[in-house]
Amino acid sequence: MRHDHSSTISRREFLAASSTAVLASGLVNPAIAESSSAPKLALHGGEKTVKQSAKLPIRWGEPERERLNAMLGQDSLFYWKGPQTALLLERFKKVCPVKYAMPCSSGTAALHIAVAAAGIGPGDEVITSPITDIGTVIGVIYQQGVPVFADLGTSTYNLDPADVERRITPKTRAIIAVHLCGNPCDMRALKALADKHGLVLIEDAAQAWGARYRDEPIGTIGHIVCFSLQNTKHITCGDGGVVGSNDERFGPLLQRFGDKGFDRLSGGLFESFATNYRMSEPQAAVAAAQLERLEGIVSTRARLGNLLTEKLAGIPGVLPHQVDVRDRCNYWFYMFRLKPDGFRCDRAEFVKALSAEGVPASAGYIPVPLHRNPVFLKHGFFAGRWPVREFGLTSMDYSKHETPEAEAILRTGVKITIHEAMTDQYIASVAEAIRKVARHYTV
Ligand SMILES: Cc1ncc(COP(=O)(O)O)c(C=O)c1O
């Protein structure tokens, strides 16, 4: 695959060049030249490989209705001492055994609470991934911290600990490890770095509900963990989040940093400053019911994603999504990469051909690494300005910030939807379609 469109040979040009000699010999009928080598692509009028689309998952129903009905019988819908919130936290702690947890309005809110509790302040650097939702760094920037983007593993799409270490400076205060697609980061290496340099390790588990690092539930190795309950996540209440911690330095601060700085346990005067990120009882009711569905959703997705990897093995030019066999990835989505120059088509055509075969495929995830977005390039976070740079607390220039592997991942990744209503047979047909398209375009 080539990145430069001007140098990409079109399929027609390639076929013309490569088959001229054979056709000239008179040995092959031009009409069947293509079909004699490989099955005809659906894109070119051939038979579709994935004949039936997958059923959509049923995401909510009676259990959620039951909890909502109970909630409507209450005389308060406020989170503090609310029975739905209490149930949500009880069930959450079974999935992610932490001593302290605060339900909140989004994953972005959970991350903001985490960095505030971690004490991130003006000019403090926080190292994280450039391939993530912008919510990973919104809180850092609001605390006047400086996101520093490190490069990623070629096929894990997660932080490369060696590159994280290279980017540590005396100003570094924290690492936010994003478990992209629910694929656990190399937590042992990141924790060792955090311990060595005295950094707070925050886990962005927005996409990682129910994932496991080795034998540990995700979120129990870092100091603070953040989950999202936004609509596209494995479990949801429309919008919501949970932030948790086992650490006595940060755990007791989570509630107040989600609740305008007010410590509801001790009452009293404001000791800290924060915004309002509270979740309410209707959201908690739905989220509590959703947690009962989690294991079923995650175990199915983990099986299907691993099956796809197994079936893609050995296809020239296709680099499967890399997951450590000791971990459990929940495949929020699956992404394989096309090897540069492995195919005589560009990624857009590869994806078009896959879609025509009936595969739920799209090009990449986000269009560019976070720091390639205009708001970063212009350093224009607050009314077009960035106080920490203006006051000399950072010299960060995002237009010069390089993460070459992340750029390459976003140029060559092909995203495949995986969900819990899919079957093993369906995934097998998806793999067959990928093999067919790859074979057609292979160099
Ligand atoms: C990795 C990651 N971090 C943070 C967030 C932010 O979560 P929310 O949309 O709930 O604010 C998301 C949401 O997509 C995410 O995927």
Side-chain angles (χ1 to χ4, degrees):
M1 213 203 89
R2 290 162 214 269
H3 310 315
D4 176 3
H5 279 257
S6 61
S7 67
T8 305
I9 312 175
S10 77
R11 195 184 144 269
R12 190 175 298 143
E13 283 163 353
F14 175 84
L15 284 179
S18 61
S19 52
T20 303
V22 184
L23 294 177
S25 71
L27 293 174
V28 179
N29 175 348
I32 60 162
E34 184 176 299
S35 62
S36 63
S37 56
K40 198 173 185 182
L41 293 184
L43 186 64
H44 303 148
E47 208 182 332
K48 220 170 150 179
T49 314
V50 184
K51 296 195 175 60
Q52 257 194 328
S53 26
K55 275 196 260 166
L56 287 178
I58 296 167
R59 302 189 63 200
W60 39 76
E62 209 40 51
E64 287 74 15
R65 209 181 323 273
E66 260 174 40
R67 292 255 52 83
L68 284 168
N69 278 338
M71 177 271 299
L72 287 173
Q74 298 169 196
D75 56 10
S76 164
L77 302 183
F78 192 58
Y79 90 101
W80 189 249
K81 298 197 192 306
Q84 307 307 323
T85 302
L87 183 66
L88 162 62
L89 290 178
E90 182 192 315
R91 290 182 177 173
F92 171 79
K93 288 178 182 181
K94 286 193 184 132
V95 171
C96 180
V98 286
K99 183 168 170 196
Y100 302 94
M102 171 69 178
C104 52
S105 55
S106 67
T108 304
L111 281 144
H112 192 173
I113 294 169
V115 292
I120 301 305
D124 290 343
E125 294 179 0
V126 178
I127 302 178
T128 192
S129 166
I131 300 187
T132 182
D133 183 88
I134 192 168
T136 303
V137 296
I138 283 174
V140 176
I141 295 168
Y142 268 100
Q143 291 307 110
Q144 308 304 326
V146 178
V148 173
F149 298 100
D151 218 343
L152 307 177
T154 309
S155 294
T156 61
Y157 320 132
N158 281 336
L159 283 177
D160 167 10
D163 198 56
V164 170
E165 183 154 38
R166 278 193 286 275
R167 297 189 196 241
I168 292 174
T169 73
K171 287 182 170 179
T172 308
R173 294 287 306 278
I175 299 169
I176 302 181
V178 180
H179 305 298
L180 199 77
C181 305
N183 187 20
C185 291
D186 184 348
M187 291 307 289
R188 198 158 294 159
L190 293 175
K191 186 65 176 13
L193 276 182
D195 290 346
K196 181 172 159 196
H197 296 274
L199 310 176
V200 183
L201 181 57
I202 297 169
E203 296 186 53
D204 180 345
Q207 304 178 1
W209 283 103
R212 295 179 80 84
Y213 174 77
R214 307 301 185 256
D215 288 326
E216 308 291 334
I218 211 76
T220 52
I221 293 175
H223 300 106
I224 311 176
V225 63
C226 306
F227 291 90
S228 166
L229 287 159
Q230 183 268 338
N231 194 52
T232 62
K233 302 305 186 301
H234 299 76
I235 54 169
T236 184
C237 56
D239 257 316
V242 187
V243 53
S245 177
N246 264 324
D247 195 299
E248 293 297 335
R249 290 170 298 167
F250 313 119
L253 304 179
L254 301 179
Q255 178 273 318
R256 75 180 72 159
F257 279 113
D259 194 353
K260 297 192 280 194
F262 186 59
D263 182 346
R264 283 187 192 270
L265 265 185
S266 62
L269 301 176
F270 288 101
E271 300 280 352
S272 42
F273 182 74
T275 187
N276 178 357
Y277 282 141
R278 295 184 305 237
M279 178 185 273
S280 68
E281 283 278 277
Q283 290 162 292
V286 175
Q290 288 269 293
L291 272 163
E292 297 285 88
R293 299 178 185 268
L294 183 65
E295 184 51 33
I297 294 169
V298 170
S299 56
T300 306
R301 286 191 183 213
R303 189 189 74 244
L304 295 176
N306 291 341
L307 179 65
L308 185 54
T309 294
E310 209 179 282
K311 302 253 176 220
L312 296 183
I315 302 180
V318 169
L319 308 172
H321 202 143
Q322 187 190 332
V323 173
D324 192 299
V325 289
R326 295 165 293 180
D327 297 342
R328 176 156 87 159
C329 172
N330 65 20
Y331 295 98
W332 190 54
F333 61 80
Y334 188 104
M335 188 157 78
F336 64 84
R337 287 182 69 181
L338 300 177
K339 216 169 170 187
D341 302 320
F343 300 97
R344 55 187 172 79
C345 67
D346 62 10
R347 178 178 61 170
E349 182 161 348
F350 198 101
V351 168
K352 207 166 140 198
L354 275 184
S355 304
E357 295 295 333
V359 174
S362 54
Y365 167 40
I366 51 175
V368 288
L370 276 188
H371 54 284
R372 293 271 174 262
N373 283 278
V375 70
F376 285 88
L377 294 173
K378 289 188 278 191
H379 307 104
F381 303 113
F382 299 97
R385 301 172 61 181
W386 196 19
V388 286
R389 214 167 106 106
E390 291 180 17
F391 291 127
L393 293 171
T394 183
S395 54
M396 171 58 81
D397 181 348
Y398 288 113
S399 68
K400 300 205 170 80
H401 206 71
E402 300 288 341
T403 52
E405 195 61 50
E407 306 261 357
I409 290 166
L410 293 176
R411 275 197 309 264
T412 58
V414 176
K415 183 180 151 193
I416 305 289
T417 302
I418 290 208
H419 62 64
E420 54 278 15
M422 291 173 172
T423 61
D424 290 18
Q425 291 80 346
Y426 179 84
I427 292 295
S429 66
V430 165
E432 200 184 316
I434 296 169
R435 190 172 289 276
K436 176 181 169 187
V437 171
R439 186 173 162 207
H440 179 85
Y441 287 117
T442 197
V443 286

